Amino acid sequence: MAQKEQEPIWLTLKPNEAFSVKGNLKDGKIMPDLSWAWNSAVACFPQTQAQKFTGNHVLYALDLPNFSEMEIWLVPTDEQANFSIYAYEVGKVANNNTVPNLSSCIRCEAEHKWDYKKRGQTQDHTRRIKDILAINNPYQVIIGVVGANGLQEGDFTLHLKINKSK
């Protein structure tokens, strides 16, 4: 039986213009079943990283026009707070493809605190996702801002930009 889905907050973005929205994890919900994420038809993050997605999930949704690519940048207000983020593309957002009821998607990307250092890279408290793109067809995107290790409250700013090439 499908779990009661959380209603995403719909955002309206204009291509090639920066957009920001402020939020707080307290406006989201705990998602007890994260198995959608490591389902091979989703492949968002591995089960070994589940602890980084155990806090409240705040969901946002938006339209991604064809011939465009989206960048997502999450900035927690508290630099010590541990946040994670994921974003996935579907044809049209519906109850049966809103997490945790997601059984497949076009693409899913996630970013969380690293377990180990990466050569030539440094990580701070911000999280960034690239490669959410639409070529010939438009899609809809759901973004999940999540507290790691059960974090249920914390202010953040989500910066978004859709770069449209045509």
Side-chain angles (χ1 to χ4, degrees):
M1 185 168 119
Q3 293 183 30
K4 171 119 176 71
E5 79 285 341
Q6 181 178 337
E7 286 291 320
I9 299 163
W10 277 90
L11 305 175
T12 303
L13 278 71
K14 292 182 181 172
N16 303 315
E17 289 184 18
F19 180 88
S20 297
V21 61
K22 292 186 180 296
N24 190 303
L25 288 177
K26 70 181 178 197
D27 298 327
K29 294 180 182 173
I30 295 282
M31 194 174 296
D33 180 8
L34 295 171
S35 62
W36 57 267
W38 47 85
N39 171 345
S40 62
V42 175
C44 202
F45 55 86
Q47 188 172 4
T48 56
Q49 300 299 325
Q51 191 61 31
K52 295 176 179 153
F53 297 87
T54 56
N56 279 1
H57 292 236
V58 179
L59 302 180
Y60 296 92
L62 56 98
D63 291 307
L64 183 65
N66 59 343
F67 304 111
S68 60
E69 180 175 2
M70 185 169 60
E71 285 188 62
I72 306 162
W73 184 30
L74 171 65
V75 182
T77 303
D78 178 357
E79 294 185 11
Q80 303 305 309
N82 188 357
F83 280 65
S84 299
I85 188 171
Y86 57 87
Y88 66 89
E89 297 176 60
V90 294
K92 184 161 181 62
V93 171
N95 292 347
N96 66 348
N97 65 16
T98 300
V99 292
N101 300 323
L102 181 65
S103 60
S104 68
C105 63
I106 309 298
R107 170 186 295 249
C108 188
E109 302 289 339
E111 178 70 10
H112 51 76
K113 189 172 183 179
W114 304 336
D115 294 327
Y116 305 100
K117 292 184 179 192
K118 295 183 181 182
R119 178 179 287 184
Q121 297 180 29
T122 56
Q123 186 179 44
D124 59 17
H125 66 292
T126 66
R127 304 288 178 257
R128 181 168 271 178
I129 291 180
K130 293 182 176 181
D131 301 324
I132 299 296
L133 44 94
I135 308 298
N136 291 327
N137 298 310
Y139 293 110
Q140 291 186 326
V141 176
I142 290 189
I143 301 166
V145 177
V146 190
N149 304 314
L151 184 65
Q152 295 181 30
E153 188 170 346
D155 290 318
F156 60 85
T157 303
L158 195 59
H159 301 278
L160 306 165
K161 185 164 186 196
I162 294 175
N163 299 308
K164 187 159 171 56
S165 59
K166 288 189 179 183

